[in-house]
């Protein structure tokens, strides 16, 4: 199934609220390398925020392959596994200005959801996506909140 915007459950997952309850969720961010091969990176709910059903913002580490790929192409696909479905969000991305005196320096991007493709297997249940366990959840979640606050400035 293809739809123009994010389903409500993804908007809620990425709304930047209640990060403590979402701390184990990880998603895949796919970009295309200079060698034209897919490049895969994991991102957390502390690096992306939904503004509405068709707009997101990303805060990515500077100097990474993913960031370089997005700066070069302006494109990425976010893969979210949620509620027994896999969602592929095609993103058109534009670089946002750096924030002077940012507490956590990140490359910031504004993203438009071009469309969302959703898969659900007829013959099997999708029971989970990528799960992570934070080593220092208090400090990581504090940083995530600060990054997301700066991301919507």
């Amino acid at each position: 199934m293809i739809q123009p915007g994010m389903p409500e459950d993804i908007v809620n997952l990425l709304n930047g609220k209640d990060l403590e309850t979402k701390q184990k969720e990880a998603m895949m961010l796919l970009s295309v390398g200079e060698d034209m091969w897919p490049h895969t990176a994991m991102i957390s709910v502390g690096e992306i925020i939904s503004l509405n059903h068709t707009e997101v913002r990303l805060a990515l580490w500077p100097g990474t392959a993913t960031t370089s790929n997005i700066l070069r192409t302006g494109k990425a696909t976010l893969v979210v596994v949620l509620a027994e479905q896999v969602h592929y969000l095609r993103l058109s991305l534009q670089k946002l200005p750096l924030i002077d005196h940012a507490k956590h320096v990140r490359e910031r991007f504004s993203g438009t959801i071009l469309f969302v493709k959703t898969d659900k297997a007829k013959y099997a249940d999708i029971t989970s996506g990528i799960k992570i366990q934070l080593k220092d959840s208090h400090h990581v979640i504090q940083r995530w909140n600060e990054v997301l606050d700066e991301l919507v400035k």
Side-chain angles (χ1 to χ4, degrees):
M1 175 176 73
I2 294 178
Q3 56 194 47
M6 290 183 284
E8 194 67 31
D9 55 352
I10 295 178
V11 173
N12 291 333
L13 174 67
L14 304 178
N15 66 9
K17 299 175 185 171
D18 303 317
L19 296 179
E20 295 81 10
T21 64
K22 303 171 185 176
Q23 65 180 289
K24 294 186 178 189
E25 300 297 327
M27 298 153 279
M28 301 304 291
L29 186 63
L30 311 175
S31 59
V32 177
E34 287 187 69
D35 59 2
M36 301 306 294
W37 282 91
H39 176 78
T40 306
M42 285 194 299
I43 65 169
S44 67
V45 293
E47 298 166 292
I48 184 168
I49 190 165
S50 60
L51 302 179
N52 54 48
H53 286 79
T54 59
E55 295 177 274
V56 295
R57 289 203 178 163
L58 293 167
L60 303 177
W61 292 96
T64 64
T66 298
T67 298
S68 296
N69 292 341
I70 291 172
L71 286 169
R72 191 183 71 259
T73 67
K75 299 176 182 179
T77 298
L78 179 68
V79 181
V80 180
V81 179
L82 190 64
E84 298 182 353
Q85 298 180 17
V86 182
H87 306 274
Y88 307 92
L89 290 71
R90 185 170 285 183
L91 305 172
S92 174
L93 297 156
Q94 294 185 348
K95 186 178 186 311
L96 293 170
L98 294 174
I99 295 177
D100 290 336
H101 310 294
K103 188 165 186 175
H104 305 282
V105 177
R106 300 289 189 272
E107 291 285 354
R108 300 174 340 122
F109 297 92
S110 175
T112 301
I113 309 295
L114 300 177
F115 68 84
V116 178
K117 179 183 174 192
T118 300
D119 279 338
K120 181 173 180 157
K122 293 178 183 177
Y123 59 88
D125 292 330
I126 301 166
T127 59
S128 73
I130 300 168
K131 301 291 182 192
I132 60 174
Q133 181 66 50
L134 299 176
K135 293 180 180 178
D136 183 354
S137 62
H138 174 74
H139 287 104
V140 172
I141 292 169
Q142 179 181 342
R143 183 183 74 227
W144 284 355
N145 280 306
E146 293 164 351
V147 166
L148 294 179
D149 286 346
E150 290 179 343
L151 193 53
V152 294
K153 287 184 179 180

